[in-house]
Structures are given as C-alpha cells and as structure tokens.
Amino acid sequence: MMLAGLGYDSHRLAAGRALILGGVEIESEMGLEGHSDADVVTHAVIDALLGAAGMGDVGQHFPDTDERYRDADSIGLLAQVMRLLAAEGLQPVNVDVTVIMERPRLAPHRDAIAARLAETIGLPRERVNVKATTGEGMGFVGRGEGVAALAISSLHRA
Ligand code: MG
C-alpha cells in the first residue's frame, strides 16, 4: 500500500541566528528563529512523513513548550520520526521539497541538503529532491521576513 503526506512550515528570519536548512548550516547574515534550531525544511519533511503515516504533526511529537526541544537539532528529531515509522512497518519511498526563500541563493547548497536528508531518512540520494524558488519580492518571503518550505513524501507499508 502507498501512502502520501504533505508538510508545510515557515519561520521568521532574525539576526544572530544560524540558518540551518535540511541539517546543513548555510552562511547568511540572518538565520531562522524558533524554539528548536528552526530548520524549516526538516520540519516540513517531518510533517510530510508523519502525514503519510497518519501520525499527526511535528508539534504533537515535539512540543515547542517542552524545554527538551529548545535549540533541538531537527535532523535528530527526523531520525526519531524514522524510528517511529519503522516500528509501524512503514518505509519511505521518496521525499520532494520546495524551499521558498529570497536570499541567500539555495542552489549551491541543494545537493548537500538532499544528501543530509536522504542519509537521515534512509533513502538513496536520488529519491530525495530539493527545489528552490523565491517570493519574487511578494509577501513575507519576498520582503525577507521569513522562509517557507513545502514537502511531500510517500511511504510503503511492507
Ligand atoms: Mg517549524
């Protein structure tokens, strides 16, 4: 049986924070603000995987009111989610991500992000696709106030 899931997340850009996308730290004047490391890409991927599994969302599993998750490494949370899925006999098939960000340009980092996600999810590199677009100057992304990410995943029940 094939199961599909959708994920979306956004975080505010702020000075003095690291910009971590898909577990890769990217050089930038601004980083993302949040309770955890605010890795918007990994959060969208977690929600896509949990959605496909019918297991709720990232906030239910890792509440932002819980001090254990302050500045949490979101790639570590993704690894925990993969163990939950494996316990249910669910295997990832593919993940596709779109990052919506005005700057810096994502292109030079796309391969590193896809590789880090693939390694954590336990997929071959070619089953994880990372795309990038901008807000064309419109909305919160276009004004450089934040970054958004969309993800979709499919799972196979063994
Ligand atoms: Mg988030």
Side-chain angles (χ1 to χ4, degrees), residues 9-11 39-40 43 58:
D9 196 22
S10 60
H11 280 269
D39 182 342
V40 66
H43 294 177
V58 64

Side-chain angles (χ1 to χ4, degrees), residues 54-127:
M55 294 171 76
D57 66 29
V58 64
Q60 279 174 265
H61 290 268
F62 312 107
D64 64 8
T65 50
D66 190 328
E67 280 304 311
R68 279 180 300 169
Y69 303 122
R70 181 171 295 280
D71 297 322
D73 170 14
S74 296
I75 281 286
L77 304 182
L78 175 57
Q80 285 186 50
V81 166
M82 296 321 297
R83 289 193 286 275
L84 292 176
L85 300 193
E88 297 295 322
L90 295 168
Q91 294 170 345
V93 175
N94 78 309
V95 170
D96 184 26
V97 182
T98 298
V99 185
I100 314 162
M101 181 170 76
E102 217 66 6
R103 71 186 73 81
R105 276 174 49 76
L106 194 74
H109 310 287
R110 222 159 35 184
D111 280 340
I113 292 169
R116 187 86 205 273
L117 290 171
E119 178 192 12
T120 309
I121 296 166
L123 278 173
R125 166 66 187 81
E126 64 273 15
R127 298 272 199 90

